[in-house]
Every structure is written in C-alpha cells, then in structure tokens.
Amino acid sequence: MIDDDELDDLVLQGHGGAIADPDRHVDDPNEKKKEKLNARLKCEVVKIAEEASREHGVRISPKFAQCLTELTSTYVHTLADDLAAFAQHRKGKVITHDDVLLAVRKMPSVLEGVHAVLPPDLVAKKSRQPKLTL
C-alpha cells in the first residue's frame, strides 16, 4: 500500500509538480515542516479540483493545477498572516471567529460560507463597539 506522502508526490507529479526552485536546499526543520504542509495543501487542492472536474465532466490541465495550487497556497498564507495580525492588534493570542469575519468582510460569498458554518449564537452576536450616530 502507498503511504500519504508518496500519493501526494504522485498527484503533484501528475500535474507538473509545484512551481518551485529545484536547486533550493533547506536545512531549517521549521522550513522543512512548512514546505511539507504546503505540499500537502497543494495536493489536497489538486484532489478537490479533480473531483469537481469529474462532476462537471471535464478534465484539468497540469498547468491549471499548478496555477490553482499556487494561488490557493498564496491566499492561505496571506489569510493566516492577516488573521495573526488582527489577533495581535487586539492584543489577543487566539485567532477568533471575529478575526475571520474581519478578514473576509469584502468577499460576500466567502462571508456567507463563514456564516453558514458558525453556530447561530455567534452569527447573531452583537458588536462590542457602539455604532456612531450623527
């Protein structure tokens, strides 16, 4: 039986692999861990894209898969940085649903998705800050 790492490598290879510098060598264990998580994320994105394409009766090209995985990875890292900055700004150490709502506030379809998975008591929660009236 093939293990998850080997399967991930095969999926990425089948789609042209990740866009990366092949001569880059990383010795830092934290960097290696980040790269492994990033590769795992990209593999899952390819699997989801392949499943969606099958449902629609189309195929995805290797270049499309590379582009999609890079865009997704970039977005996830940017979102994570934003969420950490929002938590730090309010002097918190835990990223909360309020941070997520703030991060996706300008993307209506994503905001709807976030509201769909939040428990009802959190969706209806009142803001801590009073609204300004003129």
mmCIF file of all heavy atoms in Angstrom, residues 12-60:
data_model
loop_
_atom_site.group_PDB
_atom_site.id
_atom_site.type_symbol
_atom_site.label_atom_id
_atom_site.label_comp_id
_atom_site.label_asym_id
_atom_site.label_seq_id
_atom_site.Cartn_x
_atom_site.Cartn_y
_atom_site.Cartn_z
ATOM 1 N N LEU A 12 0.968 15.379 -7.346
ATOM 2 C CA LEU A 12 1.615 16.613 -7.783
ATOM 3 C C LEU A 12 2.434 16.389 -9.053
ATOM 4 O O LEU A 12 2.449 17.229 -9.943
ATOM 5 C CB LEU A 12 2.498 17.184 -6.671
ATOM 6 C CG LEU A 12 1.735 17.827 -5.514
ATOM 7 C CD1 LEU A 12 2.697 18.196 -4.395
ATOM 8 C CD2 LEU A 12 0.971 19.053 -5.964
ATOM 9 N N GLN A 13 3.117 15.241 -9.156
ATOM 10 C CA GLN A 13 3.904 14.948 -10.352
ATOM 11 C C GLN A 13 2.996 14.832 -11.574
ATOM 12 O O GLN A 13 3.340 15.287 -12.659
ATOM 13 C CB GLN A 13 4.705 13.661 -10.181
ATOM 14 C CG GLN A 13 5.884 13.812 -9.249
ATOM 15 C CD GLN A 13 6.507 12.462 -8.924
ATOM 16 O OE1 GLN A 13 6.172 11.443 -9.509
ATOM 17 N NE2 GLN A 13 7.419 12.459 -7.954
ATOM 18 N N GLY A 14 1.832 14.253 -11.393
ATOM 19 C CA GLY A 14 0.892 14.098 -12.491
ATOM 20 C C GLY A 14 0.370 15.425 -13.007
ATOM 21 O O GLY A 14 -0.139 15.528 -14.098
ATOM 22 N N HIS A 15 0.522 16.471 -12.203
ATOM 23 C CA HIS A 15 0.056 17.796 -12.596
ATOM 24 C C HIS A 15 1.221 18.759 -12.756
ATOM 25 O O HIS A 15 1.059 19.962 -12.616
ATOM 26 C CB HIS A 15 -0.951 18.326 -11.580
ATOM 27 C CG HIS A 15 -2.255 17.612 -11.689
ATOM 28 N ND1 HIS A 15 -3.140 17.862 -12.703
ATOM 29 C CD2 HIS A 15 -2.790 16.626 -10.950
ATOM 30 C CE1 HIS A 15 -4.188 17.074 -12.569
ATOM 31 N NE2 HIS A 15 -4.002 16.311 -11.515
ATOM 32 N N GLY A 16 2.382 18.233 -13.020
ATOM 33 C CA GLY A 16 3.524 19.098 -13.274
ATOM 34 C C GLY A 16 4.280 19.488 -12.024
ATOM 35 O O GLY A 16 5.270 20.201 -12.097
ATOM 36 N N GLY A 17 3.826 19.055 -10.867
ATOM 37 C CA GLY A 17 4.521 19.373 -9.622
ATOM 38 C C GLY A 17 4.321 20.817 -9.214
ATOM 39 O O GLY A 17 3.657 21.592 -9.873
ATOM 40 N N ALA A 18 4.902 21.158 -8.119
ATOM 41 C CA ALA A 18 4.810 22.521 -7.608
ATOM 42 C C ALA A 18 5.748 23.433 -8.363
ATOM 43 O O ALA A 18 6.771 22.995 -8.876
ATOM 44 C CB ALA A 18 5.153 22.531 -6.116
ATOM 45 N N ILE A 19 5.387 24.699 -8.426
ATOM 46 C CA ILE A 19 6.274 25.685 -9.026
ATOM 47 C C ILE A 19 7.275 26.065 -7.936
ATOM 48 O O ILE A 19 6.918 26.687 -6.949
ATOM 49 C CB ILE A 19 5.487 26.914 -9.496
ATOM 50 C CG1 ILE A 19 4.468 26.506 -10.543
ATOM 51 C CG2 ILE A 19 6.424 27.994 -10.018
ATOM 52 C CD1 ILE A 19 3.495 27.590 -10.928
ATOM 53 N N ALA A 20 8.497 25.647 -8.100
ATOM 54 C CA ALA A 20 9.498 25.894 -7.064
ATOM 55 C C ALA A 20 10.882 25.847 -7.682
ATOM 56 O O ALA A 20 11.064 25.403 -8.813
ATOM 57 C CB ALA A 20 9.382 24.838 -5.965
ATOM 58 N N ASP A 21 11.857 26.293 -6.920
ATOM 59 C CA ASP A 21 13.246 26.277 -7.355
ATOM 60 C C ASP A 21 13.832 24.903 -7.028
ATOM 61 O O ASP A 21 13.988 24.559 -5.857
ATOM 62 C CB ASP A 21 14.011 27.388 -6.634
ATOM 63 C CG ASP A 21 15.469 27.463 -7.033
ATOM 64 O OD1 ASP A 21 15.895 26.672 -7.909
ATOM 65 O OD2 ASP A 21 16.188 28.314 -6.479
ATOM 66 N N PRO A 22 14.170 24.088 -8.041
ATOM 67 C CA PRO A 22 14.658 22.733 -7.775
ATOM 68 C C PRO A 22 16.042 22.720 -7.114
ATOM 69 O O PRO A 22 16.412 21.728 -6.503
ATOM 70 C CB PRO A 22 14.718 22.087 -9.160
ATOM 71 C CG PRO A 22 14.795 23.226 -10.112
ATOM 72 C CD PRO A 22 14.091 24.376 -9.457
ATOM 73 N N ASP A 23 16.791 23.812 -7.214
ATOM 74 C CA ASP A 23 18.127 23.870 -6.617
ATOM 75 C C ASP A 23 18.104 24.347 -5.165
ATOM 76 O O ASP A 23 19.128 24.384 -4.506
ATOM 77 C CB ASP A 23 19.033 24.798 -7.430
ATOM 78 C CG ASP A 23 19.241 24.281 -8.846
ATOM 79 O OD1 ASP A 23 19.278 23.036 -9.001
ATOM 80 O OD2 ASP A 23 19.337 25.106 -9.764
ATOM 81 N N ARG A 24 16.925 24.710 -4.672
ATOM 82 C CA ARG A 24 16.806 25.230 -3.310
ATOM 83 C C ARG A 24 16.982 24.096 -2.303
ATOM 84 O O ARG A 24 16.347 23.051 -2.398
ATOM 85 C CB ARG A 24 15.434 25.868 -3.139
ATOM 86 C CG ARG A 24 15.263 26.549 -1.821
ATOM 87 C CD ARG A 24 14.014 27.428 -1.865
ATOM 88 N NE ARG A 24 13.862 28.037 -0.581
ATOM 89 C CZ ARG A 24 12.838 27.819 0.240
ATOM 90 N NH1 ARG A 24 11.862 27.052 -0.139
ATOM 91 N NH2 ARG A 24 12.785 28.389 1.411
ATOM 92 N N HIS A 25 17.867 24.324 -1.325
ATOM 93 C CA HIS A 25 18.113 23.327 -0.284
ATOM 94 C C HIS A 25 17.781 23.949 1.068
ATOM 95 O O HIS A 25 18.257 25.030 1.386
ATOM 96 C CB HIS A 25 19.568 22.859 -0.313
ATOM 97 C CG HIS A 25 19.861 21.806 0.702
ATOM 98 N ND1 HIS A 25 19.354 20.534 0.602
ATOM 99 C CD2 HIS A 25 20.586 21.848 1.845
ATOM 100 C CE1 HIS A 25 19.768 19.821 1.652
ATOM 101 N NE2 HIS A 25 20.513 20.605 2.410
ATOM 102 N N VAL A 26 16.962 23.266 1.850
ATOM 103 C CA VAL A 26 16.517 23.795 3.131
ATOM 104 C C VAL A 26 17.028 22.911 4.258
ATOM 105 O O VAL A 26 16.796 21.703 4.263
ATOM 106 C CB VAL A 26 14.969 23.851 3.177
ATOM 107 C CG1 VAL A 26 14.493 24.379 4.510
ATOM 108 C CG2 VAL A 26 14.435 24.702 2.038
ATOM 109 N N ASP A 27 17.743 23.531 5.215
ATOM 110 C CA ASP A 27 18.243 22.787 6.367
ATOM 111 C C ASP A 27 17.405 23.026 7.617
ATOM 112 O O ASP A 27 17.401 22.204 8.526
ATOM 113 C CB ASP A 27 19.694 23.181 6.662
ATOM 114 C CG ASP A 27 20.659 22.625 5.633
ATOM 115 O OD1 ASP A 27 20.378 21.534 5.090
ATOM 116 O OD2 ASP A 27 21.685 23.278 5.355
ATOM 117 N N ASP A 28 16.704 24.147 7.681
ATOM 118 C CA ASP A 28 15.919 24.513 8.853
ATOM 119 C C ASP A 28 14.726 23.564 9.003
ATOM 120 O O ASP A 28 13.902 23.454 8.089
ATOM 121 C CB ASP A 28 15.440 25.960 8.702
ATOM 122 C CG ASP A 28 14.657 26.454 9.907
ATOM 123 O OD1 ASP A 28 14.618 25.758 10.933
ATOM 124 O OD2 ASP A 28 14.068 27.557 9.806
ATOM 125 N N PRO A 29 14.605 22.875 10.155
ATOM 126 C CA PRO A 29 13.496 21.940 10.357
ATOM 127 C C PRO A 29 12.124 22.618 10.251
ATOM 128 O O PRO A 29 11.171 22.020 9.750
ATOM 129 C CB PRO A 29 13.707 21.388 11.766
ATOM 130 C CG PRO A 29 15.108 21.698 12.110
ATOM 131 C CD PRO A 29 15.530 22.865 11.288
ATOM 132 N N ASN A 30 12.020 23.867 10.716
ATOM 133 C CA ASN A 30 10.741 24.577 10.616
ATOM 134 C C ASN A 30 10.385 24.850 9.159
ATOM 135 O O ASN A 30 9.224 24.761 8.774
ATOM 136 C CB ASN A 30 10.772 25.889 11.404
ATOM 137 C CG ASN A 30 10.741 25.663 12.898
ATOM 138 O OD1 ASN A 30 10.195 24.669 13.364
ATOM 139 N ND2 ASN A 30 11.325 26.564 13.642
ATOM 140 N N GLU A 31 11.374 25.196 8.359
ATOM 141 C CA GLU A 31 11.137 25.427 6.925
ATOM 142 C C GLU A 31 10.722 24.136 6.232
ATOM 143 O O GLU A 31 9.851 24.134 5.381
ATOM 144 C CB GLU A 31 12.372 26.015 6.245
ATOM 145 C CG GLU A 31 12.488 27.509 6.337
ATOM 146 C CD GLU A 31 11.287 28.256 5.758
ATOM 147 O OE1 GLU A 31 10.890 27.991 4.604
ATOM 148 O OE2 GLU A 31 10.752 29.106 6.469
ATOM 149 N N LYS A 32 11.383 23.034 6.618
ATOM 150 C CA LYS A 32 11.024 21.737 6.033
ATOM 151 C C LYS A 32 9.571 21.387 6.370
ATOM 152 O O LYS A 32 8.834 20.887 5.523
ATOM 153 C CB LYS A 32 11.961 20.639 6.533
ATOM 154 C CG LYS A 32 13.325 20.677 5.885
ATOM 155 C CD LYS A 32 14.185 19.535 6.368
ATOM 156 C CE LYS A 32 15.549 19.584 5.712
ATOM 157 N NZ LYS A 32 16.405 18.484 6.131
ATOM 158 N N LYS A 33 9.186 21.657 7.615
ATOM 159 C CA LYS A 33 7.814 21.374 8.042
ATOM 160 C C LYS A 33 6.830 22.233 7.247
ATOM 161 O O LYS A 33 5.800 21.744 6.787
ATOM 162 C CB LYS A 33 7.662 21.642 9.536
ATOM 163 C CG LYS A 33 6.309 21.283 10.085
ATOM 164 C CD LYS A 33 6.262 21.482 11.585
ATOM 165 C CE LYS A 33 4.905 21.090 12.127
ATOM 166 N NZ LYS A 33 4.817 21.244 13.573
ATOM 167 N N LYS A 34 7.165 23.525 7.063
ATOM 168 C CA LYS A 34 6.297 24.421 6.294
ATOM 169 C C LYS A 34 6.171 23.945 4.850
ATOM 170 O O LYS A 34 5.080 23.956 4.279
ATOM 171 C CB LYS A 34 6.843 25.850 6.320
ATOM 172 C CG LYS A 34 6.636 26.561 7.629
ATOM 173 C CD LYS A 34 7.226 27.964 7.568
ATOM 174 C CE LYS A 34 7.171 28.639 8.909
ATOM 175 N NZ LYS A 34 7.780 29.979 8.885
ATOM 176 N N GLU A 35 7.292 23.527 4.274
ATOM 177 C CA GLU A 35 7.259 23.050 2.893
ATOM 178 C C GLU A 35 6.416 21.788 2.773
ATOM 179 O O GLU A 35 5.684 21.615 1.801
ATOM 180 C CB GLU A 35 8.675 22.819 2.368
ATOM 181 C CG GLU A 35 9.386 24.104 2.032
ATOM 182 C CD GLU A 35 10.732 23.893 1.361
ATOM 183 O OE1 GLU A 35 11.117 22.732 1.116
ATOM 184 O OE2 GLU A 35 11.388 24.899 1.083
ATOM 185 N N LYS A 36 6.521 20.909 3.760
ATOM 186 C CA LYS A 36 5.736 19.681 3.726
ATOM 187 C C LYS A 36 4.243 19.990 3.852
ATOM 188 O O LYS A 36 3.423 19.429 3.130
ATOM 189 C CB LYS A 36 6.187 18.745 4.853
ATOM 190 C CG LYS A 36 5.560 17.386 4.788
ATOM 191 C CD LYS A 36 6.170 16.436 5.795
ATOM 192 C CE LYS A 36 5.565 15.064 5.637
ATOM 193 N NZ LYS A 36 6.157 14.075 6.513
ATOM 194 N N LEU A 37 3.892 20.913 4.758
ATOM 195 C CA LEU A 37 2.491 21.311 4.898
ATOM 196 C C LEU A 37 1.977 21.977 3.622
ATOM 197 O O LEU A 37 0.844 21.733 3.197
ATOM 198 C CB LEU A 37 2.317 22.268 6.087
ATOM 199 C CG LEU A 37 2.406 21.646 7.467
ATOM 200 C CD1 LEU A 37 2.420 22.726 8.539
ATOM 201 C CD2 LEU A 37 1.260 20.675 7.703
ATOM 202 N N ASN A 38 2.823 22.801 3.011
ATOM 203 C CA ASN A 38 2.441 23.473 1.777
ATOM 204 C C ASN A 38 2.216 22.456 0.654
ATOM 205 O O ASN A 38 1.260 22.558 -0.109
ATOM 206 C CB ASN A 38 3.506 24.506 1.383
ATOM 207 C CG ASN A 38 2.968 25.562 0.462
ATOM 208 O OD1 ASN A 38 1.819 25.981 0.589
ATOM 209 N ND2 ASN A 38 3.794 26.002 -0.456
ATOM 210 N N ALA A 39 3.082 21.463 0.575
ATOM 211 C CA ALA A 39 2.926 20.421 -0.442
ATOM 212 C C ALA A 39 1.639 19.628 -0.190
ATOM 213 O O ALA A 39 0.915 19.286 -1.130
ATOM 214 C CB ALA A 39 4.130 19.485 -0.433
ATOM 215 N N ARG A 40 1.342 19.369 1.060
ATOM 216 C CA ARG A 40 0.111 18.640 1.420
ATOM 217 C C ARG A 40 -1.123 19.451 1.028
ATOM 218 O O ARG A 40 -2.085 18.920 0.475
ATOM 219 C CB ARG A 40 0.128 18.342 2.917
ATOM 220 C CG ARG A 40 -1.026 17.560 3.404
ATOM 221 C CD ARG A 40 -0.839 16.113 3.112
ATOM 222 N NE ARG A 40 -2.019 15.410 3.588
ATOM 223 C CZ ARG A 40 -2.435 14.280 3.104
ATOM 224 N NH1 ARG A 40 -1.747 13.684 2.175
ATOM 225 N NH2 ARG A 40 -3.515 13.722 3.562
ATOM 226 N N LEU A 41 -1.082 20.767 1.309
ATOM 227 C CA LEU A 41 -2.180 21.645 0.935
ATOM 228 C C LEU A 41 -2.396 21.606 -0.575
ATOM 229 O O LEU A 41 -3.521 21.454 -1.059
ATOM 230 C CB LEU A 41 -1.903 23.085 1.382
ATOM 231 C CG LEU A 41 -2.848 24.155 0.843
ATOM 232 C CD1 LEU A 41 -4.240 23.986 1.438
ATOM 233 C CD2 LEU A 41 -2.308 25.541 1.115
ATOM 234 N N LYS A 42 -1.301 21.721 -1.318
ATOM 235 C CA LYS A 42 -1.393 21.717 -2.775
ATOM 236 C C LYS A 42 -1.962 20.406 -3.291
ATOM 237 O O LYS A 42 -2.770 20.387 -4.220
ATOM 238 C CB LYS A 42 -0.035 22.006 -3.393
ATOM 239 C CG LYS A 42 0.409 23.446 -3.184
ATOM 240 C CD LYS A 42 1.782 23.683 -3.748
ATOM 241 C CE LYS A 42 2.191 25.133 -3.565
ATOM 242 N NZ LYS A 42 3.492 25.406 -4.192
ATOM 243 N N CYS A 43 -1.562 19.316 -2.677
ATOM 244 C CA CYS A 43 -2.069 18.005 -3.088
ATOM 245 C C CYS A 43 -3.576 17.914 -2.855
ATOM 246 O O CYS A 43 -4.316 17.434 -3.715
ATOM 247 C CB CYS A 43 -1.340 16.905 -2.326
ATOM 248 S SG CYS A 43 -1.815 15.272 -2.868
ATOM 249 N N GLU A 44 -4.030 18.392 -1.713
ATOM 250 C CA GLU A 44 -5.463 18.355 -1.419
ATOM 251 C C GLU A 44 -6.238 19.238 -2.385
ATOM 252 O O GLU A 44 -7.335 18.887 -2.812
ATOM 253 C CB GLU A 44 -5.724 18.778 0.036
ATOM 254 C CG GLU A 44 -5.193 17.803 1.070
ATOM 255 C CD GLU A 44 -5.759 16.396 0.929
ATOM 256 O OE1 GLU A 44 -6.975 16.244 0.664
ATOM 257 O OE2 GLU A 44 -4.988 15.433 1.065
ATOM 258 N N VAL A 45 -5.667 20.392 -2.752
ATOM 259 C CA VAL A 45 -6.322 21.271 -3.720
ATOM 260 C C VAL A 45 -6.472 20.557 -5.061
ATOM 261 O O VAL A 45 -7.529 20.615 -5.692
ATOM 262 C CB VAL A 45 -5.544 22.603 -3.880
ATOM 263 C CG1 VAL A 45 -6.027 23.397 -5.081
ATOM 264 C CG2 VAL A 45 -5.651 23.427 -2.609
ATOM 265 N N VAL A 46 -5.435 19.864 -5.497
ATOM 266 C CA VAL A 46 -5.494 19.121 -6.760
ATOM 267 C C VAL A 46 -6.570 18.035 -6.673
ATOM 268 O O VAL A 46 -7.363 17.855 -7.603
ATOM 269 C CB VAL A 46 -4.121 18.517 -7.127
ATOM 270 C CG1 VAL A 46 -4.241 17.534 -8.278
ATOM 271 C CG2 VAL A 46 -3.135 19.618 -7.475
ATOM 272 N N LYS A 47 -6.624 17.319 -5.557
ATOM 273 C CA LYS A 47 -7.635 16.271 -5.402
ATOM 274 C C LYS A 47 -9.041 16.855 -5.490
ATOM 275 O O LYS A 47 -9.928 16.295 -6.149
ATOM 276 C CB LYS A 47 -7.452 15.555 -4.062
ATOM 277 C CG LYS A 47 -6.240 14.655 -4.011
ATOM 278 C CD LYS A 47 -6.108 14.054 -2.617
ATOM 279 C CE LYS A 47 -4.841 13.254 -2.455
ATOM 280 N NZ LYS A 47 -4.673 12.744 -1.079
ATOM 281 N N ILE A 48 -9.274 17.985 -4.834
ATOM 282 C CA ILE A 48 -10.593 18.625 -4.858
ATOM 283 C C ILE A 48 -10.922 19.101 -6.269
ATOM 284 O O ILE A 48 -12.044 18.922 -6.752
ATOM 285 C CB ILE A 48 -10.645 19.788 -3.843
ATOM 286 C CG1 ILE A 48 -10.591 19.229 -2.416
ATOM 287 C CG2 ILE A 48 -11.902 20.635 -4.053
ATOM 288 C CD1 ILE A 48 -10.331 20.274 -1.350
ATOM 289 N N ALA A 49 -9.933 19.705 -6.943
ATOM 290 C CA ALA A 49 -10.154 20.180 -8.313
ATOM 291 C C ALA A 49 -10.472 19.010 -9.242
ATOM 292 O O ALA A 49 -11.350 19.120 -10.109
ATOM 293 C CB ALA A 49 -8.925 20.942 -8.807
ATOM 294 N N GLU A 50 -9.770 17.891 -9.080
ATOM 295 C CA GLU A 50 -10.039 16.722 -9.918
ATOM 296 C C GLU A 50 -11.441 16.179 -9.665
ATOM 297 O O GLU A 50 -12.154 15.814 -10.595
ATOM 298 C CB GLU A 50 -8.995 15.634 -9.664
ATOM 299 C CG GLU A 50 -7.653 15.940 -10.269
ATOM 300 C CD GLU A 50 -6.613 14.871 -9.994
ATOM 301 O OE1 GLU A 50 -6.710 14.176 -8.947
ATOM 302 O OE2 GLU A 50 -5.697 14.739 -10.806
ATOM 303 N N GLU A 51 -11.841 16.140 -8.407
ATOM 304 C CA GLU A 51 -13.177 15.654 -8.068
ATOM 305 C C GLU A 51 -14.243 16.572 -8.670
ATOM 306 O O GLU A 51 -15.218 16.109 -9.263
ATOM 307 C CB GLU A 51 -13.336 15.591 -6.543
ATOM 308 C CG GLU A 51 -14.644 15.005 -6.086
ATOM 309 C CD GLU A 51 -14.730 14.919 -4.576
ATOM 310 O OE1 GLU A 51 -13.754 14.471 -3.946
ATOM 311 O OE2 GLU A 51 -15.783 15.303 -4.036
ATOM 312 N N ALA A 52 -14.049 17.879 -8.552
ATOM 313 C CA ALA A 52 -15.008 18.832 -9.110
ATOM 314 C C ALA A 52 -15.049 18.725 -10.632
ATOM 315 O O ALA A 52 -16.133 18.804 -11.238
ATOM 316 C CB ALA A 52 -14.637 20.251 -8.690
ATOM 317 N N SER A 53 -13.888 18.534 -11.237
ATOM 318 C CA SER A 53 -13.868 18.438 -12.703
ATOM 319 C C SER A 53 -14.604 17.182 -13.180
ATOM 320 O O SER A 53 -15.305 17.222 -14.186
ATOM 321 C CB SER A 53 -12.428 18.461 -13.231
ATOM 322 O OG SER A 53 -11.738 17.275 -12.894
ATOM 323 N N ARG A 54 -14.461 16.073 -12.454
ATOM 324 C CA ARG A 54 -15.181 14.851 -12.805
ATOM 325 C C ARG A 54 -16.695 15.062 -12.716
ATOM 326 O O ARG A 54 -17.447 14.591 -13.564
ATOM 327 C CB ARG A 54 -14.765 13.685 -11.907
ATOM 328 C CG ARG A 54 -13.499 13.002 -12.365
ATOM 329 C CD ARG A 54 -13.274 11.688 -11.637
ATOM 330 N NE ARG A 54 -13.113 11.832 -10.198
ATOM 331 C CZ ARG A 54 -11.978 12.148 -9.586
ATOM 332 N NH1 ARG A 54 -10.887 12.361 -10.288
ATOM 333 N NH2 ARG A 54 -11.916 12.247 -8.279
ATOM 334 N N GLU A 55 -17.127 15.786 -11.676
ATOM 335 C CA GLU A 55 -18.558 16.055 -11.516
ATOM 336 C C GLU A 55 -19.111 16.862 -12.684
ATOM 337 O O GLU A 55 -20.280 16.729 -13.033
ATOM 338 C CB GLU A 55 -18.816 16.805 -10.204
ATOM 339 C CG GLU A 55 -18.634 15.957 -8.969
ATOM 340 C CD GLU A 55 -18.770 16.762 -7.680
ATOM 341 O OE1 GLU A 55 -19.178 17.946 -7.735
ATOM 342 O OE2 GLU A 55 -18.467 16.203 -6.615
ATOM 343 N N HIS A 56 -18.267 17.706 -13.277
ATOM 344 C CA HIS A 56 -18.699 18.554 -14.386
ATOM 345 C C HIS A 56 -18.341 17.970 -15.750
ATOM 346 O O HIS A 56 -18.585 18.599 -16.781
ATOM 347 C CB HIS A 56 -18.099 19.954 -14.244
ATOM 348 C CG HIS A 56 -18.637 20.707 -13.063
ATOM 349 N ND1 HIS A 56 -19.865 21.326 -13.075
ATOM 350 C CD2 HIS A 56 -18.131 20.910 -11.821
ATOM 351 C CE1 HIS A 56 -20.083 21.884 -11.907
ATOM 352 N NE2 HIS A 56 -19.046 21.645 -11.121
ATOM 353 N N GLY A 57 -17.739 16.782 -15.750
ATOM 354 C CA GLY A 57 -17.419 16.102 -16.999
ATOM 355 C C GLY A 57 -16.303 16.747 -17.796
ATOM 356 O O GLY A 57 -16.300 16.690 -19.025
ATOM 357 N N VAL A 58 -15.355 17.377 -17.109
ATOM 358 C CA VAL A 58 -14.207 17.986 -17.779
ATOM 359 C C VAL A 58 -12.927 17.491 -17.116
ATOM 360 O O VAL A 58 -12.970 16.837 -16.075
ATOM 361 C CB VAL A 58 -14.259 19.543 -17.724
ATOM 362 C CG1 VAL A 58 -15.453 20.068 -18.486
ATOM 363 C CG2 VAL A 58 -14.264 20.036 -16.291
ATOM 364 N N ARG A 59 -11.801 17.829 -17.729
ATOM 365 C CA ARG A 59 -10.505 17.479 -17.143
ATOM 366 C C ARG A 59 -9.749 18.761 -16.848
ATOM 367 O O ARG A 59 -10.014 19.798 -17.457
ATOM 368 C CB ARG A 59 -9.706 16.623 -18.120
ATOM 369 C CG ARG A 59 -10.333 15.246 -18.297
ATOM 370 C CD ARG A 59 -9.603 14.383 -19.283
ATOM 371 N NE ARG A 59 -8.165 14.567 -19.237
ATOM 372 C CZ ARG A 59 -7.340 14.203 -20.199
ATOM 373 N NH1 ARG A 59 -7.804 13.640 -21.280
ATOM 374 N NH2 ARG A 59 -6.044 14.387 -20.085
ATOM 375 N N ILE A 60 -8.797 18.673 -15.925
ATOM 376 C CA ILE A 60 -7.967 19.836 -15.625
ATOM 377 C C ILE A 60 -6.564 19.583 -16.175
ATOM 378 O O ILE A 60 -6.066 18.471 -16.140
ATOM 379 C CB ILE A 60 -7.918 20.163 -14.117
ATOM 380 C CG1 ILE A 60 -7.377 18.991 -13.290
ATOM 381 C CG2 ILE A 60 -9.294 20.553 -13.613
ATOM 382 C CD1 ILE A 60 -7.162 19.317 -11.832
#
